Amino acid sequence: MNTFRGYLFLLLLPPFLSGCLNDKVIINKEAARSIIPKPVSLEMGSGSFSLSPQTVVYAPDSLGEIASYLVKTLLNPIGEELSIQPMGPGNSPSGILLDTRTDLGEEAYNLSITSEQVHISGGSQKGIFYGIQSLRQILPTLIQHSAPQAYELPVLEIQDEPRYPYRGLHLDVSRHFFPVDFIKRFIDLLAFHKLNVFHWHLTDDQGWRLEIKQYPKLTEIGAYREETLVGHYRDQPHKFDGKRYGGFYTQEDVKEVLAYAAERQVTVIPEIELPGHALAAISAYPELACQPGEYKVGTKWGIFEEVFCPTDYTFEFLENVLGEVIDLFPSPYIHIGGDECPKVRWEESAFCQNLLKQEGLSNELELQSYFIKRIEEYVNSRGRRIIGWDEILEGGLAPNATVMSWQGITGGIEAAEQGHDVVMTPTSHVYLDYYQGDPENEPLAIGGNLPLEKVYAYEPTPEELDEKEAQHILGAQANLWTEYIPTGEKAEYMVYPRACALAELVWTPKEGKDFIDFTQRLEYHFSRLDDLGVNYAKTFYNVTALPLPDSANKQLQVELKRNSQQAEIRYTLNDEVPGPESSRYEGPIALDQTQTLKAISFLEGKPVGATLEKTFQVSLATAGIPKLKNMPSEKYNAGPFVLTDGVVGTDIFNDLWYGFDGEDFEATIDLGEETPIKRLGFGVLHTPFAWIFYPSQVEISISQDGENFESVFSAEDPKATVEGTPIKRKEHAVTLEGKSARFVRFFAKNTIIPTWHGGSGRNSWLFVDEIYVE
Ligand code: ACM
């Protein structure tokens, strides 16, 4: 059912006035105030404009296409097509007026609603398109009607233009394939949020998804894999579903998508991955590899060592492929990948080693750069520019390349300093395949932690750049890699509402950004997404618990938070599921013993979002500040209370843990006075794929004076280096009788990484959390 949340209904008009209309809907001011992304300026007036099926759209002939788009778009809320009439210069009839103004930037628009007119002026069709999107957001976004519908629109004035020219959203269709209808919906939704680039990641190890006429085997063979990995890549041993999987887009499909995108002012940038992530292409044409062999399309995730060999055959192949891509896609940019290219096959290849000598290249990084430069030459010769992931900086950047900075922001800074254009897409802030909430309450994701507020807080222009260099930051893009996203439904879940935050950070002026204000508008915006049937995440309503250790009073308080401004939180400490009558959260909750806290958001008396369930471990150590012999690595050091904040690290390594890079752990806690002790313990983690190993030895000691320690527990861990030991938190603990002490020392010894592991011989990472003293 469509929801009319946020709209007010007028009583029926007399039949002779309303024709076949049912009731008339008054659009309230909140609808206009809740536009996402937030416009540069919005002024509400008084009075209203009557929009009905009889309203006429006036536009000069040159704006015929965008006028048709408007009429098609308004069909949803109005239920009938408005008529379009030409508008000569100097005319100002009552109705919807479209025109261009030379004093506005290309993507800028003014939307002026008076009692007589809805007037959209744009710097170009693009600007008018964005004015239409604002109008589309002010109106309901309904899809179905039982009868035509009329509206009263509030009088207002919007002046608006984007902060950045590049506002992108990426979709990987290789790891999972998404049909044309979904791609169109994905594009419509991004345009609805005033994003303007769809980055289509068409090829990768696990599937080639674009028909290339000269190389039919790319899709006959390369578009299908024998089976697909089940569960997470880190789950060992790997399991497969045994089902053939694949699909591809014909060139006719692509033309359909491109026409749809063009109507929405969206540039589609195709990506053809090279020289790495090429296994699907190599499986179709093994001549592309450095070694002869039988290659198969990838069935699991990760990075493969089979990459394009820089032979004349490969360059001819790639130029032919890119030639067809350029014929098909009008985008000024062609994305050539460039990321994660292992060099082992080049190192082993006599041909490559010879090529190094011949071209005077000193190593394989320079060979990669040679590869990209040759491709750039071809793409430039066809009148287009290349864009690539930030590894294209290694070994020297191709002369005209634009860089997509994904491994953090340093690649972007370096490229801008060298005078190259940059699109910022750092994993830390815009990787939408990362978790958006507590993994316990979220569907399987690749990992990471990227809540809505972190996306919103992102600032694409690095502070390190001076004004001139900053001009090279074209904008930002969020990426959706789909290893763990097999359906369109899940893709929408991962993208929305985080793409709403992305839209605002690339469109709205920096001074206009305000997270609380954004969440209020977003809560209204959800009714639009509901109407469009978008499967956005409800994580917005989930409660998160933030420990507030108070070391002066040795007390732990817990603060509860949620993004929603409207929802209230109800909680329990007695293991019961919170209901509408449970305690209402008013402020931080003090915990003086180990307790399980459960909390849920309630909206209009009904629970929304997932239930928070967290056990806080409270002991004599809680809220203390332990003295550390070695400091944890900066990446895994979330402050002095990590070991004593009551939050026990889970089986997933993240900032709940202290992580030591190649060093031992030793922490001493001072209880303030001699205290009877019954039990002592601490937790360690094992995650070999991240080079985290259990300690080889642990020890717990106690002392009265902080100098002379008595060992009360010591153990060796034979599992630390055994292959196949599961990823798991393990607790080392000891029960004591008749002991008392003022100081307790916890120790864990770092392991040498065993021979079966890729990091063999190096000191491991050591992860520790939480310590307790009872
Ligand atoms: C990337 O995420 N490998 C660009």
Side-chain angles (χ1 to χ4, degrees):
M1 270 303 288
N2 298 313
T3 61
F4 269 85
R5 182 141 54 94
Y7 307 108
L8 280 172
F9 285 87
L10 264 188
L11 288 176
L12 287 180
L13 289 171
F16 60 89
L17 276 182
S18 60
C20 60
L21 290 176
N22 290 327
D23 34 21
K24 205 169 190 184
V25 177
I26 295 183
I27 303 296
N28 63 29
K29 291 183 177 179
E30 199 192 342
R33 287 201 194 102
S34 302
I35 292 171
I36 289 179
K38 186 180 180 177
V40 173
S41 99
L42 162 71
E43 278 178 35
M44 302 302 303
S46 56
S48 63
F49 173 84
S50 294
L51 177 65
S52 77
Q54 284 73 46
T55 301
V56 174
V57 174
Y58 294 94
D61 289 345
S62 58
L63 296 178
E65 272 178 35
I66 193 92
S68 300
Y69 168 79
L70 168 67
V71 165
K72 260 195 286 175
T73 303
L74 292 183
L75 193 54
N76 274 343
I78 295 175
E80 254 180 42
E81 273 202 18
L82 305 186
S83 73
I84 303 173
Q85 290 190 17
M87 183 173 65
N91 272 0
S92 193
S94 176
I96 302 179
L97 276 62
L98 305 183
D99 60 20
T100 50
R101 263 174 43 190
T102 51
D103 61 325
L104 294 176
E106 192 188 21
E107 293 190 299
Y109 72 92
N110 277 13
L111 167 60
S112 170
I113 302 179
T114 64
S115 55
E116 295 295 307
Q117 290 172 339
V118 173
H119 188 168
I120 303 175
S121 298
S124 69
Q125 292 219 18
K126 288 186 202 295
I128 296 173
F129 177 82
Y130 296 123
I132 293 173
Q133 297 318 304
S134 289
L135 181 62
R136 196 178 162 200
Q137 289 201 7
I138 292 168
L139 285 161
T141 44
L142 302 180
I143 301 292
Q144 291 157 354
H145 291 276
S146 50
Q149 185 66 63
Y151 299 90
E152 288 294 326
L153 298 178
V155 164
L156 55 79
E157 177 82 24
I158 293 175
Q159 294 178 359
D160 204 8
E161 64 181 336
R163 179 174 172 198
Y164 292 100
Y166 187 112
R167 306 180 298 278
L169 201 52
H170 150 289
L171 180 67
D172 162 17
V173 296
S174 173
R175 276 52 178 263
H176 283 100
F177 177 72
F178 298 85
V180 166
D181 281 349
F182 178 80
I183 300 297
K184 285 159 74 172
R185 181 180 161 86
F186 193 82
I187 289 171
D188 185 51
L189 279 172
L190 73 89
F192 185 56
H193 294 90
K194 301 190 176 87
L195 300 173
N196 65 352
V197 175
F198 170 52
H199 172 171
W200 206 355
H201 184 81
L202 286 161
T203 74
D204 215 302
D205 300 304
Q206 296 81 3
W208 182 283
R209 306 276 175 237
L210 175 65
E211 178 191 26
I212 298 294
K213 306 266 191 202
Q214 292 169 83
Y215 298 98
K217 284 195 282 185
L218 281 174
T219 43
E220 282 165 22
I221 295 172
Y224 297 90
R225 57 181 179 249
E226 277 175 7
E227 55 187 357
T228 303
L229 184 75
V230 177
H232 200 281
Y233 185 84
R234 68 173 166 251
D235 300 338
Q236 302 281 348
H238 284 155
K239 286 194 210 105
F240 296 86
D241 64 4
K243 290 185 206 144
R244 181 173 144 90
Y245 180 92
F248 65 93
Y249 307 100
T250 64
Q251 296 200 356
E252 286 309 305
D253 289 338
V254 170
K255 286 176 192 163
E256 186 182 329
V257 167
L258 290 170
Y260 187 87
E263 199 179 23
R264 284 155 184 78
Q265 310 302 324
V266 170
T267 300
V268 181
I269 299 186
E271 179 177 353
I272 304 295
E273 271 271 21
L274 57 92
H277 286 295
L279 184 55
I282 290 170
S283 69
Y285 295 94
E287 307 89 311
L288 295 165
C290 281
Q291 279 84 7
E294 250 196 57
Y295 299 98
K296 292 211 163 130
V297 178
T299 56
K300 59 181 172 184
W301 322 128
I303 295 173
F304 294 82
E305 288 172 351
E306 312 313 330
V307 302
F308 288 133
C309 202
T311 58
D312 287 343
Y313 175 84
T314 297
F315 285 111
E316 187 188 332
F317 166 86
L318 287 172
E319 287 185 10
N320 288 336
V321 167
L322 290 169
E324 288 193 36
V325 168
I326 288 169
D327 289 342
L328 204 51
F329 289 85
S331 163
Y333 285 113
I334 304 297
H335 202 300
I336 51 78
D339 60 322
E340 300 177 324
C341 177
K343 311 293 187 296
V344 281
R345 295 294 176 252
W346 294 353
E347 285 159 10
E348 294 162 1
S349 150
F351 170 81
C352 291
Q353 294 311 309
N354 204 30
L355 185 63
L356 285 181
K357 282 198 205 107
Q358 201 182 308
E359 296 293 330
L361 306 170
S362 46
N363 56 36
E364 281 71 21
L365 287 180
E366 289 188 11
L367 181 55
Q368 172 174 296
S369 171
Y370 163 87
F371 200 121
I372 306 285
K373 283 175 184 160
R374 267 187 78 164
I375 295 296
E376 181 182 64
E377 243 172 69
Y378 172 72
V379 172
N380 286 170
S381 78
R382 295 288 315 271
R384 310 295 179 86
R385 300 175 62 187
I386 65 160
I387 185 166
W389 303 111
D390 55 31
E391 287 94 329
I392 66 172
L393 280 153
E394 298 164 358
L397 202 46
N400 306 310
T402 296
V403 171
M404 239 175 213
S405 186
W406 73 279
Q407 304 177 93
I409 63 170
T410 48
I413 293 170
E414 198 182 323
E417 284 172 350
Q418 290 181 30
H420 286 255
D421 283 347
V422 172
V423 173
M424 301 301 288
T425 69
T427 53
S428 55
H429 287 81
V430 284
Y431 262 45
L432 302 184
D433 56 341
Y434 282 18
Y435 282 107
Q436 58 194 305
D438 187 341
E440 280 177 30
N441 290 323
E442 293 292 326
L444 182 68
I446 195 163
N449 174 29
L450 185 56
L452 184 69
E453 50 270 46
K454 192 164 180 198
V455 179
Y456 193 83
Y458 182 54
E459 274 300 311
T461 303
E463 283 172 358
E464 291 85 342
L465 300 180
D466 66 28
E467 214 172 296
K468 185 154 169 271
E469 292 160 349
Q471 295 296 316
H472 287 293
I473 306 297
L474 302 180
Q477 173 176 291
N479 298 335
L480 190 67
W481 301 100
T482 58
E483 286 92 337
Y484 302 100
I485 302 173
T487 63
E489 240 189 354
K490 188 162 177 191
E492 286 187 353
Y493 181 92
M494 299 305 279
V495 172
Y496 292 97
R498 288 184 292 184
C500 303
L502 169 78
E504 195 138 317
L505 72 94
V506 287
W507 180 281
T508 305
K510 193 173 172 181
E511 317 77 70
K513 274 174 70 184
D514 175 337
F515 185 65
I516 299 297
D517 171 62
F518 170 71
T519 56
Q520 280 164 349
R521 281 179 288 117
L522 186 60
E523 209 148 0
Y524 184 94
H525 191 69
F526 284 155
S527 64
R528 297 175 185 135
L529 299 182
D530 283 334
D531 285 349
L532 292 169
V534 179
N535 183 41
Y536 60 90
K538 309 294 184 294
T539 314
F540 183 84
Y541 292 102
N542 291 1
V543 181
T544 53
L546 187 72
L548 302 173
D550 171 358
S551 68
N553 298 307
K554 285 295 217 86
Q555 198 201 36
L556 180 68
Q557 297 207 331
V558 177
E559 187 183 359
L560 300 183
K561 290 179 147 183
R562 76 276 184 243
N563 289 146
S564 169
Q565 304 296 310
Q566 289 175 23
E568 58 176 20
I569 299 173
R570 303 269 171 183
Y571 71 94
T572 63
L573 288 166
N574 60 2
D575 239 17
E576 282 177 13
V577 177
E581 308 302 325
S582 301
S583 301
R584 189 187 141 108
Y585 177 74
E586 307 284 358
I589 306 160
L591 298 180
D592 53 11
Q593 55 178 322
T594 297
Q595 267 177 313
T596 299
L597 175 75
K598 292 187 182 177
I600 317 182
S601 289
F602 281 81
L603 199 59
E604 290 158 13
K606 295 202 178 66
V608 271
T611 307
L612 169 82
E613 182 175 339
K614 271 255 174 301
T615 299
F616 289 88
Q617 189 182 65
V618 178
S619 78
L620 297 170
T622 302
I625 301 181
K627 220 166 112 194
L628 297 167
K629 187 161 179 206
N630 298 314
M631 287 310 284
S633 154
E634 230 174 82
K635 259 170 111 175
Y636 298 101
N637 179 4
F641 294 108
V642 168
L643 297 174
T644 59
D645 60 2
V647 182
V648 178
T650 65
D651 292 342
I652 299 171
F653 73 96
N654 55 19
D655 55 11
L656 298 180
W657 290 87
Y658 268 160
F660 299 86
D661 186 3
E663 296 200 277
D664 297 337
F665 162 74
E666 188 184 296
T668 307
I669 188 117
D670 179 356
L671 302 175
E673 59 187 351
E674 190 172 336
T675 310
I677 293 173
K678 291 202 285 268
R679 197 168 161 79
L680 298 166
F682 69 110
V684 291
L685 184 67
H686 190 69
T687 311
F689 80 85
W691 300 33
I692 302 166
F693 286 75
Y694 284 144
S696 55
Q697 195 235 325
V698 294
E699 183 157 15
I700 306 177
S701 322
I702 57 175
S703 164
Q704 314 297 355
D705 58 8
E707 283 182 13
N708 303 298
F709 280 84
E710 172 196 357
S711 173
V712 290
F713 174 73
S714 170
E716 308 235 321
D717 193 342
K719 290 266 173 58
T721 53
V722 174
E723 189 167 8
T725 299
I727 293 168
K728 211 156 181 49
R729 179 183 189 272
K730 167 153 65 179
E731 195 147 294
H732 290 285
V734 59
T735 303
L736 304 176
E737 255 175 61
K739 294 276 186 194
S740 63
R742 177 174 164 182
F743 297 91
V744 182
R745 193 166 73 195
F746 301 86
F747 172 79
K749 184 152 188 54
N750 187 289
T751 298
I752 305 287
I753 299 182
T755 48
W756 54 265
H757 191 276
S760 171
R762 187 190 175 280
N763 282 75
S764 74
W765 279 83
L766 175 59
F767 270 52
V768 185
D769 188 63
E770 159 106 358
I771 62 174
Y772 70 88
V773 177
E774 282 170 2

